[in-house]
Amino acid sequence: MVGGIMLYSLATCLPLDLNVMHDRNPLLVKLSNGDIRNGYERHILNKTHEDRTYSLEIDGIKSNKIVLKNTHEINMNDIPVFAESVGHFRFF
């Protein structure tokens, strides 16, 4: 019985896991031009055995206002995550 449950959970698990967390401090930052910026951290877990690229879409905000960073700025239509690893990204 237990073996069957474990086999079912392995066969039906998703190849991807996403987490988005709001930066703890500060809640928001007011920029010198009057705009307000929020920071978020995104974790993308690639559970497959192949390197993958993902795309990020956010409704309600102009895409030219969103900046995605890892160690450098990343194109939101080409987010690389290595096989069996977690990609850590920040977006503002």
Side-chain angles (χ1 to χ4, degrees), residues 54-56 68 72-80:
Y54 298 97
S55 177
L56 173 65
L68 181 66
H72 59 283
E73 193 167 324
I74 298 173
N75 181 348
M76 290 188 8
N77 294 319
D78 187 28
I79 304 170

Side-chain angles (χ1 to χ4, degrees), residues 8-41:
Y8 174 77
S9 65
L10 285 173
T12 59
C13 76
L14 297 174
L16 171 71
D17 189 21
L18 300 172
N19 292 313
V20 176
M21 296 178 285
H22 192 276
D23 281 348
R24 288 200 265 167
N25 291 325
L27 183 59
L28 57 92
V29 175
K30 188 170 184 178
L31 302 176
S32 60
N33 66 358
D35 288 346
I36 295 175
R37 180 180 77 187
N38 288 324
Y40 295 89
E41 192 166 319

Side-chain angles (χ1 to χ4, degrees), residues 16-21 41-47 52 54 68-71 74 79-91:
L16 171 71
D17 189 21
L18 300 172
N19 292 313
V20 176
M21 296 178 285
E41 192 166 319
R42 163 160 249 162
H43 301 271
I44 302 174
L45 173 58
N46 179 4
K47 296 180 182 179
R52 299 281 177 129
Y54 298 97
L68 181 66
K69 292 184 177 185
N70 187 341
T71 56
I74 298 173
I79 304 170
V81 181
F82 295 114
E84 300 177 357
S85 67
V86 179
H88 299 275
F89 305 96
R90 293 189 52 137
F91 62 100

